[in-house]
Amino acid sequence: MATEKLVEFLVNISFVGPVGWSQEDVAALVAKERAHAAELAREGHLVRMWRVPGRRENWGLWRARDATHLHEIITGLPFWPYMQLTVHPMASHPVDPLKY
C-alpha cells in the first residue's frame, strides 16, 4: 500500500440506529466496529477521526484508491447499515503546511 497513490476523502458520518437493540447487542456492535476501524487504520485507510461533541456524528480523514474503493471500505464497517454519510474528495493545495 505504501507505494500506491491514494486519494484523501473527508467523510462526515452520522448514525441513525440501531433502534430497539439491547445495550449488550449495541456494545458488541461497537466492539466489532472499533476492531475493524483499527485494522483500517493499520492498513492506512483511516487516517484521522474526530467526534462531534453532543452528537452521534464524526468526521474522518480516509484514504482509498478512488471513490469506489472508499465505498467498498466503508460498506464493510459493521455500523454501515446505520450510517448516513457525506463524502468530500480532497485535492492538494499549494500552501499546504505539510508540503514545507
Side-chain angles (χ1 to χ4, degrees), residues 5-93:
K5 178 69 173 164
L6 299 177
V7 178
E8 291 184 326
F9 298 87
L10 187 60
V11 179
N12 177 253
I13 301 172
S14 60
F15 298 92
V16 293
V19 176
W21 285 30
S22 70
Q23 288 183 337
E24 294 82 15
D25 289 341
V26 172
L29 184 61
V30 167
K32 287 180 187 177
E33 182 78 8
R34 288 182 177 170
H36 192 81
E39 179 61 28
L40 292 173
R42 282 189 291 278
E43 293 173 357
H45 296 299
L46 178 55
V47 181
R48 294 290 310 269
M49 183 69 63
W50 299 270
R51 176 180 308 190
V52 178
R55 298 171 81 172
R56 296 184 67 198
E57 181 178 348
N58 65 58
W59 284 89
L61 180 61
W62 295 77
R63 289 185 181 138
R65 289 186 304 271
D66 54 32
T68 299
H69 185 220
L70 178 69
H71 179 78
E72 292 167 359
I73 292 166
I74 290 179
T75 59
L77 290 166
F79 257 106
W80 164 247
Y82 312 104
M83 294 178 172
Q84 291 181 340
L85 284 83
T86 303
V87 177
H88 305 274
M90 306 305 287
S92 62
H93 194 286

